[in-house]
Structure formats: structure tokens, C-alpha cells
Amino acid sequence: MRLQRLLQGVAVQSSTVADDLEIREVREDSRAVGPGDLFIAVRGYETDGHRYIAQAVAQGAAAVVCERAPEGVPAVVVENSRQALADIAANRFGHPADQMVMLGVTGTNGKTTTTYLVKHILEEAGHKVGLIGTNQNMVGDEVIETERTTPGAYALQALFAKIRDAGCTHVIMEVSSHSLVLDRVRGIRFAVGAFTNLTQDHLDFHKTMEDYRRAKAMLFQISDKGVIDLDDDAAQAMLADAACPCLTFSCDKDAADLTAKNIELRADGVRFVAAARGELARVLLAIPGHFSVENALTALGIALQLGIPLETAARALATASGVKGRVEVVPTDTDYTVLIDYAHSPDGVDNVLRAVRGFAKGRVVALFGCGGDRDRTKRPKMGKIAAELADFCIVTSDNPRTEEPQAIIDDILVGMQDSKTPMQVIVDRPTAIHWALDHAQKDDVIVLMGKGHETYQEIDHIKHHMDEREIVADYFAQHR
């Protein structure tokens, strides 16, 4: 491909490279550069790609896109190379997002389940759908594993191209606050953007809750229509910042455009009547917990904004299944229950434990930890909430990364010091799970929180295999 084609729409400040230069491939990682490649030097938060320009040239880079060019390097100088990367990536793959209906969901909690529900509704309506999210990426029924909620700009455009080439008409994706701030979704126009909620998370990156909220509000600057949870404290600010018409939903506010009436919370899921635009529809969703009502309303709101009738969307939800790592029941064949959930924020812990309390006949046992190298202020808050809502707590490790696991646990325990809830501290997570199963009682519900869909424990930048489903299965294989 010609350099000129790759640079369409890019604000070039200066260039020492011929427009008709043939480029083999675009690279943002200097280690992957080969002869004839275009290397884009991006200023990151951990490192600066400009430091690796010489390495890229030595490996055969035909040209470099950068914000400052070293002497003698064939370079295209731009003001912001991160934005240039997004534009070049879209040019490289032929702007695939423009050829599909793009749907985005942002918020602290509920994004993953909501995207799966929307995918199911669209598929029931006869569409082929791509999904991009925390658990996995999907091209129709094909599963592609993922490591971050929203891939980098180049990987994202490559994924869009694969989804397009597979014949998908729609893409439903989780849109993280990071992706909005870091220009990963730059140039993408969403037909519908949805906001689930805003609770404390990622303050190691955003610094303040208002910064975090404003980052998520950016989605409604690049969407044609919006869907917003009117029950969330940030709703009015999100509506004020939106540059598109928004449909609101609520579990208890009649002023909302879409509401849930006659809510029933059951052990096998939720039931309610959805009301919107003079229509009523019965909704059954086989995922327990009040948050499932909110997730269902978000999905229904997106469907309505796409022109899908309420009754049609509600009927589809009745056949939707749960999501791996979201209130996931682990087979045990015992007289107690083991659940796995991704809850890793104060609000997430609160939501899942309240959901479990709604149907548990015995004790609610909460096993959890907090991730290292992340917002420390949420650790005592998570401990306090767990101690208040669980009958027994087991505090352990959860992706300690470069921190000492015991130091993280000590931060959690600060929030539990005034609690009378019995607890156990076991640093090693598999050992903690075994201890929980050893001491399980009839009708207990043991909630393994934090890992969810993850199948690893990250320590010192290395991901060690650890699947909680396997740990539970191995335990019962040894004890039967």
C-alpha cells in the first residue's frame, strides 16, 4: 500500500518521505518492525515510542510517523502520533466500521452482560453480529480471546475488518473510558451509545470521579443516539454532556422513557414488565440479581433506538443465557452453591452480594481480593461492603501484579476492622478456595469474586494459569 493512502485525513506537519513510498505493514511495536514497514512512534504512559525509532530504522522501517524526527530519519511529523495511529489504522483496513452498524456500551459495571444480551437480541432478529469486550471477542459464533476491554487502535481496526469480512452487519462493543481518552475509538461513529452506571474504578488513571465521568461522556459525542440509566447519580451530567438524543431508562422513575414494573427477583433470574412508548412487554431473563434488570433495560433501550419493537426484544431475552464469570454457577453436585463473579470494584461487590442475599437460603460466603498496581482507595471500601453483606469473608489475592499480596490484603482489612463478621485471611488464592470448600455448610452460597472470566493470576508481569473452575473441579475430584 502507498504511504499517501495511509496518510489520508492525517494532519501532517512536515515530511521527508515520498508520498508514493510502498509500505509493507504498519507497526506501533518496534520489536515487530521489518523491512518496508511504517513505524508509528506513540507517546505512552509507561514508555515513549520515540525512544525506539533508531531500533525500528535499524530493523528496516521504510519510514516513521512521529511527533519529533531524529536527524536523518525518513519521517512524517504529526502533532499527535496516537491520533495519527488511529487514522492510519482505519485507512489501512478500509474504514471497516463505516460499513457496519456500530453499537457501544460504556459504564463501570454491566457492560459485558449488556453486550451479550444485545448480541442475542440482534441475532434473534436475523442479523450476524460481532462482539468486542472484556471476556472475549466474537465474529458471529467464532470466539477470539482478548486481554483488554477495548483493543488498541490498530488491533481494533484489524478486528473490525475481520468482522466485516465475515459478513457481520452489526458490532456491539464495550467502550472503556481508557479507549475514549486514548483515541482507540477515534474516527468511529456509533449508531447507539449506552451508559450503564458510574462507580469508583480506574482512579489510578483518571485521578478523579469527574474525570472518569467525562471520559465516559465522550461516547455521546460520537454517537447518533444514546441510552442512559436515569437511576444513576451521574445521569443528569451525562445527559447534559450528550450531543445526541438520548432514551432514558429506570427501575423506579416514571419520567424515564423505558421503565421496569412489577420486578420479581428469583434464584433462577428476574421477571418484570417493560413499559416504553405506550407499549408493555413481559421480560424473563435467566440471570439473577437486581442488576440484571438494569442490564436488560440497557439492552432493550439499545434495541428500541435501533427500531426493534419492545415485544420482539423482550421475547429474545427469554432465551438469552448467562455470561462466563458473571454470577456463573460452578457445577459441584453438593448441597451448597459456588458462584464465580467478576466483581472487582466496590459497586460490583455490593451488587453481586445483594443479588445473592436475595435468594440464598444459607450463609453468603464472600471470597475476594483486590488487584495490585491499581486504585488503592477502593480496597478498604470493598472490604467494608463485603463484611456488611456477607456472613463470612475470606480475604485472598487477586492479580497482585508488582505489589506484595499481603500489603494489598492489609489495605482491604482496614475497611473490615470494625466488623463483627467472621473472616479468614489466606494469601494464596487456590488454598483459600480449598479452605472455603472444606468449611462449606448446607445451603451456603460461596461467591468467588474478582476473577470472573479470567483464567490467570498476574504476578510480576507474568500471567500464571489459574482457572477457578478447574480449582473447584480438582477439589471435588480429590474429595470423592
Coordinates of all heavy atoms in Angstrom, one line a residue, residues 299-353:
A299 N -30.1 -3.1 27.4 CA -30.2 -3.8 26.1 C -31.5 -3.5 25.4 O -31.5 -3.3 24.1 CB -30.1 -5.3 26.3
L300 N -32.6 -3.4 26.1 CA -33.9 -3.1 25.5 C -33.9 -1.7 24.9 O -34.4 -1.4 23.9 CB -35.0 -3.2 26.5 CG -35.4 -4.7 26.9 CD1 -36.4 -4.6 28.1 CD2 -35.9 -5.5 25.8
G301 N -33.2 -0.8 25.7 CA -33.1 0.6 25.2 C -32.3 0.7 23.9 O -32.7 1.5 23.0
I302 N -31.2 0.0 23.8 CA -30.5 0.0 22.5 C -31.3 -0.6 21.4 O -31.3 0.0 20.3 CB -29.2 -0.9 22.7 CG1 -28.2 -0.2 23.7 CG2 -28.5 -1.1 21.4 CD1 -27.0 -1.0 24.1
A303 N -32.1 -1.7 21.7 CA -32.9 -2.2 20.7 C -34.0 -1.2 20.2 O -34.2 -1.1 19.0 CB -33.6 -3.5 21.2
L304 N -34.6 -0.5 21.1 CA -35.6 0.5 20.8 C -35.0 1.6 19.9 O -35.6 2.0 19.0 CB -36.2 1.1 22.1 CG -37.2 0.2 22.8 CD1 -37.5 0.8 24.2 CD2 -38.4 -0.1 22.0
Q305 N -33.8 2.0 20.3 CA -33.1 3.1 19.5 C -32.8 2.6 18.1 O -32.6 3.4 17.2 CB -31.9 3.6 20.2 CG -32.1 4.4 21.5 CD -32.7 5.7 21.2 OE1 -33.8 5.9 20.6 NE2 -32.1 6.8 21.7
L306 N -32.7 1.3 17.9 CA -32.4 0.7 16.6 C -33.7 0.4 15.8 O -33.7 0.0 14.7 CB -31.6 -0.6 16.7 CG -30.2 -0.5 17.1 CD1 -29.6 -1.9 17.4 CD2 -29.4 0.2 16.0
G307 N -34.8 0.7 16.5 CA -36.1 0.5 15.8 C -36.7 -0.9 16.0 O -37.7 -1.3 15.3
I308 N -36.1 -1.7 16.8 CA -36.6 -3.1 17.1 C -37.8 -2.9 18.1 O -37.7 -2.3 19.2 CB -35.6 -4.0 17.7 CG1 -34.4 -4.1 16.7 CG2 -36.1 -5.3 18.1 CD1 -33.2 -4.9 17.2
P309 N -39.0 -3.5 17.8 CA -40.1 -3.4 18.7 C -39.8 -3.9 20.1 O -39.1 -4.9 20.3 CB -41.2 -4.2 18.0 CG -40.8 -4.2 16.6 CD -39.3 -4.2 16.6
L310 N -40.4 -3.3 21.1 CA -40.2 -3.7 22.5 C -40.5 -5.2 22.7 O -39.8 -6.0 23.4 CB -41.0 -2.9 23.5 CG -40.8 -3.2 25.0 CD1 -39.4 -2.9 25.4 CD2 -41.8 -2.3 25.8
E311 N -41.6 -5.6 22.2 CA -42.1 -7.0 22.4 C -41.1 -8.0 21.8 O -40.8 -9.1 22.3 CB -43.5 -7.2 21.8 CG -44.0 -8.6 21.9 CD -44.2 -9.1 23.3 OE1 -44.6 -8.4 24.2 OE2 -43.8 -10.3 23.5
T312 N -40.6 -7.6 20.6 CA -39.6 -8.5 19.9 C -38.3 -8.7 20.7 O -37.8 -9.8 20.9 CB -39.3 -7.9 18.5 OG1 -40.5 -7.8 17.8 CG2 -38.3 -8.8 17.8
A313 N -37.8 -7.5 21.2 CA -36.6 -7.6 22.0 C -36.8 -8.3 23.3 O -36.0 -9.1 23.7 CB -36.1 -6.2 22.3
A314 N -38.0 -8.1 24.0 CA -38.2 -8.8 25.2 C -38.3 -10.3 25.0 O -37.9 -11.1 25.9 CB -39.5 -8.2 25.8
R315 N -39.0 -10.7 24.0 CA -39.1 -12.1 23.7 C -37.7 -12.8 23.5 O -37.5 -13.9 23.9 CB -40.0 -12.3 22.4 CG -40.4 -13.8 22.2 CD -41.2 -13.9 20.9 NE -42.2 -12.9 20.8 CZ -42.2 -12.0 19.8 NH1 -41.3 -12.1 18.8 NH2 -43.2 -11.1 19.7
A316 N -36.8 -12.1 22.9 CA -35.5 -12.6 22.7 C -34.7 -12.8 24.0 O -34.0 -13.8 24.2 CB -34.7 -11.6 21.8
L317 N -34.9 -11.9 25.0 CA -34.2 -12.0 26.3 C -34.6 -13.3 27.0 O -33.8 -13.8 27.8 CB -34.5 -10.8 27.1 CG -33.9 -9.5 26.7 CD1 -34.3 -8.4 27.7 CD2 -32.4 -9.6 26.6
A318 N -35.8 -13.8 26.7 CA -36.2 -15.0 27.4 C -35.4 -16.2 27.1 O -35.3 -17.2 27.9 CB -37.7 -15.3 27.1
T319 N -34.7 -16.2 26.0 CA -33.8 -17.3 25.6 C -32.3 -17.0 25.7 O -31.5 -17.7 25.2 CB -34.1 -17.7 24.1 OG1 -34.0 -16.6 23.2 CG2 -35.5 -18.3 24.0
A320 N -32.0 -15.8 26.3 CA -30.6 -15.4 26.5 C -30.0 -16.2 27.7 O -30.7 -16.4 28.7 CB -30.5 -13.9 26.7
S321 N -28.8 -16.6 27.6 CA -28.1 -17.3 28.7 C -27.1 -16.3 29.4 O -26.9 -15.2 28.9 CB -27.4 -18.5 28.1 OG -26.4 -18.1 27.2
G322 N -26.6 -16.8 30.5 CA -25.7 -16.0 31.3 C -24.3 -15.9 30.6 O -24.0 -16.5 29.6
V323 N -23.5 -15.1 31.2 CA -22.1 -14.8 30.7 C -21.1 -15.4 31.6 O -21.2 -15.4 32.8 CB -21.9 -13.3 30.6 CG1 -20.5 -13.0 30.0 CG2 -23.0 -12.6 29.7
K324 N -20.1 -16.0 31.0 CA -19.0 -16.6 31.8 C -18.4 -15.6 32.7 O -18.0 -14.5 32.4 CB -17.9 -17.1 30.9 CG -16.7 -17.8 31.6 CD -15.7 -18.3 30.6 CE -14.6 -19.0 31.3 NZ -13.5 -19.5 30.4
G325 N -18.3 -16.0 34.0 CA -17.7 -15.1 35.0 C -18.7 -14.0 35.6 O -18.2 -13.2 36.3
R326 N -19.9 -14.1 35.2 CA -20.9 -13.1 35.7 C -22.0 -13.9 36.4 O -22.9 -14.5 35.8 CB -21.5 -12.3 34.6 CG -20.6 -11.4 33.8 CD -19.5 -10.7 34.6 NE -18.9 -9.6 33.9 CZ -17.7 -9.7 33.2 NH1 -17.1 -10.9 33.2 NH2 -17.2 -8.7 32.7
V327 N -21.9 -14.0 37.8 CA -22.9 -14.8 38.6 C -23.0 -16.2 38.0 O -24.0 -16.8 37.8 CB -24.3 -14.2 38.7 CG1 -25.0 -14.7 39.9 CG2 -24.2 -12.7 38.8
E328 N -21.8 -16.8 37.6 CA -21.7 -18.1 37.0 C -21.7 -19.2 38.0 O -20.9 -19.2 39.0 CB -20.4 -18.2 36.2 CG -20.2 -19.5 35.5 CD -18.8 -19.6 34.9 OE1 -18.1 -18.6 34.8 OE2 -18.4 -20.7 34.5
V329 N -22.7 -20.1 37.9 CA -22.8 -21.3 38.8 C -21.8 -22.3 38.4 O -21.7 -22.8 37.2 CB -24.2 -21.9 38.7 CG1 -24.3 -23.1 39.7 CG2 -25.2 -20.8 39.1
V330 N -20.9 -22.8 39.3 CA -19.9 -23.8 39.1 C -20.5 -25.2 39.5 O -21.0 -25.3 40.6 CB -18.7 -23.5 39.9 CG1 -17.6 -24.6 39.6 CG2 -18.1 -22.1 39.6
P331 N -20.6 -26.1 38.6 CA -21.1 -27.4 39.0 C -20.4 -28.1 40.1 O -19.1 -28.2 40.1 CB -20.9 -28.3 37.7 CG -20.8 -27.3 36.6 CD -20.1 -26.1 37.2
T332 N -21.1 -28.5 41.2 CA -20.5 -29.1 42.3 C -21.2 -30.4 42.8 O -20.6 -31.2 43.4 CB -20.4 -28.2 43.5 OG1 -21.8 -27.8 43.9 CG2 -19.6 -26.9 43.2
D333 N -22.5 -30.5 42.5 CA -23.2 -31.7 42.9 C -23.2 -31.8 44.4 O -22.9 -32.9 44.9 CB -22.8 -33.0 42.2 CG -23.7 -34.1 42.4 OD1 -24.9 -33.8 42.6 OD2 -23.3 -35.3 42.4
T334 N -23.4 -30.7 45.1 CA -23.3 -30.7 46.6 C -24.6 -30.0 47.1 O -25.5 -29.6 46.3 CB -22.1 -30.0 47.1 OG1 -22.2 -28.6 46.7 CG2 -20.8 -30.5 46.6
D335 N -24.7 -29.9 48.4 CA -25.9 -29.3 49.0 C -25.6 -27.8 49.2 O -26.3 -27.1 50.0 CB -26.3 -29.9 50.3 CG -25.2 -30.0 51.3 OD1 -24.2 -29.5 51.1 OD2 -25.5 -30.7 52.4
Y336 N -24.5 -27.2 48.6 CA -24.3 -25.8 48.7 C -23.9 -25.3 47.3 O -23.8 -26.1 46.3 CB -23.2 -25.5 49.7 CG -21.8 -26.1 49.4 CD1 -20.9 -25.6 48.6 CD2 -21.5 -27.4 50.0 CE1 -19.7 -26.2 48.3 CE2 -20.3 -28.0 49.8 CZ -19.4 -27.4 49.0 OH -18.2 -28.0 48.7
T337 N -23.8 -24.0 47.1 CA -23.6 -23.4 45.7 C -22.3 -22.7 45.7 O -22.0 -22.0 46.6 CB -24.8 -22.5 45.4 OG1 -26.0 -23.2 45.4 CG2 -24.6 -21.9 44.0
V338 N -21.6 -22.8 44.5 CA -20.4 -22.0 44.3 C -20.7 -21.1 43.0 O -21.0 -21.6 42.0 CB -19.2 -22.9 44.1 CG1 -18.0 -22.0 43.7 CG2 -18.9 -23.8 45.3
L339 N -20.4 -19.8 43.2 CA -20.6 -18.9 42.1 C -19.3 -18.2 41.8 O -18.5 -18.0 42.7 CB -21.6 -17.8 42.5 CG -23.1 -18.2 42.8 CD1 -23.9 -17.0 43.2 CD2 -23.7 -18.9 41.6
I340 N -19.0 -17.9 40.6 CA -17.9 -17.1 40.2 C -18.4 -15.8 39.6 O -19.3 -15.8 38.7 CB -17.0 -17.8 39.1 CG1 -16.4 -19.0 39.7 CG2 -16.0 -16.9 38.5 CD1 -15.6 -19.9 38.8
D341 N -17.8 -14.6 40.0 CA -18.3 -13.3 39.5 C -17.1 -12.4 39.4 O -16.1 -12.5 40.2 CB -19.3 -12.7 40.4 CG -20.0 -11.5 39.7 OD1 -20.9 -11.7 38.9 OD2 -19.6 -10.4 40.0
Y342 N -17.1 -11.5 38.4 CA -16.0 -10.6 38.1 C -15.9 -9.4 39.0 O -15.1 -8.6 38.9 CB -16.2 -10.2 36.6 CG -15.0 -9.4 36.1 CD1 -13.7 -9.9 36.2 CD2 -15.1 -8.2 35.4 CE1 -12.6 -9.3 35.6 CE2 -14.1 -7.6 34.8 CZ -12.8 -8.1 35.0 OH -11.7 -7.4 34.4
A343 N -16.8 -9.3 40.0 CA -16.9 -8.1 40.9 C -15.5 -7.7 41.4 O -14.9 -8.5 42.1 CB -17.8 -8.4 42.0
H344 N -15.0 -6.5 41.0 CA -13.7 -6.1 41.4 C -13.7 -4.6 41.7 O -12.6 -4.0 41.8 CB -12.7 -6.4 40.3 CG -13.0 -5.7 39.0 ND1 -14.0 -6.1 38.1 CD2 -12.4 -4.6 38.4 CE1 -14.0 -5.3 37.1 NE2 -13.1 -4.4 37.2
S345 N -14.9 -4.1 42.0 CA -15.0 -2.7 42.4 C -16.0 -2.7 43.6 O -16.7 -3.6 43.8 CB -15.5 -1.8 41.3 OG -16.9 -2.2 41.0
P346 N -16.0 -1.6 44.4 CA -16.9 -1.5 45.5 C -18.4 -1.8 45.0 O -19.1 -2.5 45.7 CB -16.7 -0.1 46.0 CG -15.3 0.2 45.7 CD -15.1 -0.4 44.4
D347 N -18.8 -1.1 44.0 CA -20.2 -1.3 43.5 C -20.4 -2.7 43.0 O -21.5 -3.3 43.2 CB -20.5 -0.3 42.4 CG -21.9 -0.2 42.0 OD1 -22.7 0.1 42.9 OD2 -22.2 -0.5 40.8
G348 N -19.4 -3.3 42.3 CA -19.6 -4.6 41.8 C -19.8 -5.6 43.0 O -20.6 -6.5 42.9
V349 N -19.0 -5.5 44.0 CA -19.1 -6.3 45.2 C -20.5 -6.2 45.9 O -21.2 -7.1 46.2 CB -18.0 -6.0 46.2 CG1 -18.2 -6.8 47.6 CG2 -16.6 -6.4 45.7
D350 N -20.9 -4.9 46.0 CA -22.2 -4.6 46.6 C -23.3 -5.3 45.7 O -24.2 -5.9 46.3 CB -22.4 -3.1 46.6 CG -23.7 -2.7 47.3 OD1 -24.8 -2.7 46.7 OD2 -23.6 -2.4 48.5
N351 N -23.3 -5.1 44.4 CA -24.3 -5.7 43.5 C -24.4 -7.2 43.6 O -25.5 -7.7 43.8 CB -24.0 -5.3 42.1 CG -24.5 -3.8 41.8 OD1 -25.3 -3.3 42.5 ND2 -23.9 -3.3 40.8
V352 N -23.3 -7.9 43.5 CA -23.4 -9.3 43.5 C -23.8 -9.9 44.8 O -24.6 -10.8 44.9 CB -22.1 -9.9 43.0 CG1 -20.9 -9.8 44.0 CG2 -22.3 -11.4 42.6
L353 N -23.3 -9.3 45.9 CA -23.6 -9.9 47.2 C -25.1 -9.6 47.6 O -25.8 -10.4 48.2 CB -22.7 -9.3 48.3 CG -21.3 -9.8 48.2 CD1 -20.4 -9.2 49.4 CD2 -21.2 -11.3 48.3

